[in-house]
Amino acid sequence: MEVEDKLLSEFQSILALATTVTMCVVCLVGAIFLRKNIVQQYIGAHRIRTFLYPIKRSRLLVIKTLAFMNKLLVPFFVGNLLLFALEVLFSYFFRLKDSNGENQILNGMGICIIYTLFVFSISLCSEIIAIWRQSEITVIITTVVGILILSNLSALGTINYLWITFIFSSLLAFLQIYWLGILSKKIDKADAY
């Protein structure tokens, strides 16, 4: 079987390619809202007002980030699960490939989790770098660069090396959380000007 035929007839390949495109769109839309809802409040003149709130600065940043990520990631994950369910139905009715149903479900859930972690990592990295650089446009630039790097890696990784890609996406997400902790501590010590 040719490589191209294999890509368009296997369940895991179709799901990975469709989710890669969705990930790119969600990351770009998320970057626009991230710039407007969080980054804008931590740079320039808005920073002075944000720093006057009667709550610890680091806690406010973490709460805002978690709320934003919840609004971005929950619909993305649920949408991927719906895509996955449709894919399972189509593969069953059209007999795309005779595969183990349990293996198919495990791979599909893994792909949904991996891409959700990649969206989380790209968005959080964009936020951190934009606040650190004090630039709104950096959110978009960092998101595009993150998409360029991770979209190819995620598509090929989830098709060929699912568990290695899962471990990599988990480590990348934990690294972003660690960087958010460092940034929030620096914001506590930063001047408003």
Side-chain angles (χ1 to χ4, degrees), residues 120-121 124-125 128 171-181:
F120 173 77
S121 297
L124 193 55
C125 181
I128 292 167
L171 291 174
L172 191 61
F174 284 122
L175 181 66
Q176 299 307 316
I177 292 169
Y178 175 73
W179 282 348
L180 179 65

Side-chain angles (χ1 to χ4, degrees), residues 7-72:
L7 281 176
L8 296 177
S9 65
E10 286 190 3
F11 159 79
Q12 190 170 343
S13 301
I14 294 171
L15 184 62
L17 294 173
T19 308
T20 301
V21 172
T22 308
M23 177 189 79
C24 296
V25 172
V26 167
C27 284
L28 285 173
V29 170
I32 293 167
F33 287 112
L34 186 68
R35 179 193 67 79
K36 188 171 183 82
N37 294 328
I38 297 178
V39 173
Q40 212 174 44
Q41 295 181 1
Y42 284 90
I43 62 174
H46 294 285
R47 180 178 175 143
I48 297 168
R49 266 187 259 137
T50 303
F51 282 8
L52 291 175
Y53 290 146
I55 186 172
K56 195 171 181 183
R57 297 174 191 171
S58 59
R59 184 169 179 186
L60 182 63
L61 176 67
V62 170
I63 289 171
K64 282 184 173 193
T65 301
L66 288 176
F68 177 80
M69 290 300 169
N70 186 34
K71 285 183 180 180
L72 183 69

Side-chain angles (χ1 to χ4, degrees), residues 66-81 116:
L66 288 176
F68 177 80
M69 290 300 169
N70 186 34
K71 285 183 180 180
L72 183 69
L73 297 177
V74 169
F76 178 74
F77 184 73
V78 170
N80 278 336
L81 286 179
T116 303

Side-chain angles (χ1 to χ4, degrees), residues 6 10 12-13 16 107 110-111 114-115 118 152-169:
K6 182 180 174 185
E10 286 190 3
Q12 190 170 343
S13 301
N107 288 345
I111 289 172
I114 287 168
Y115 279 97
F118 278 142
N152 291 325
L153 176 74
S154 61
L156 296 175
T158 53
I159 291 171
N160 299 319
Y161 309 104
L162 184 68
W163 294 108
I164 294 171
T165 309
F166 177 75
I167 292 168
F168 175 74
S169 65

Side-chain angles (χ1 to χ4, degrees), residues 131-150:
I131 292 172
W132 173 61
R133 298 288 300 162
Q134 294 291 300
S135 170
E136 287 183 47
I137 194 67
T138 306
V139 175
I140 307 296
I141 294 169
T142 307
T143 300
V144 169
V145 170
I147 288 170
L148 291 174
I149 294 169
L150 290 180

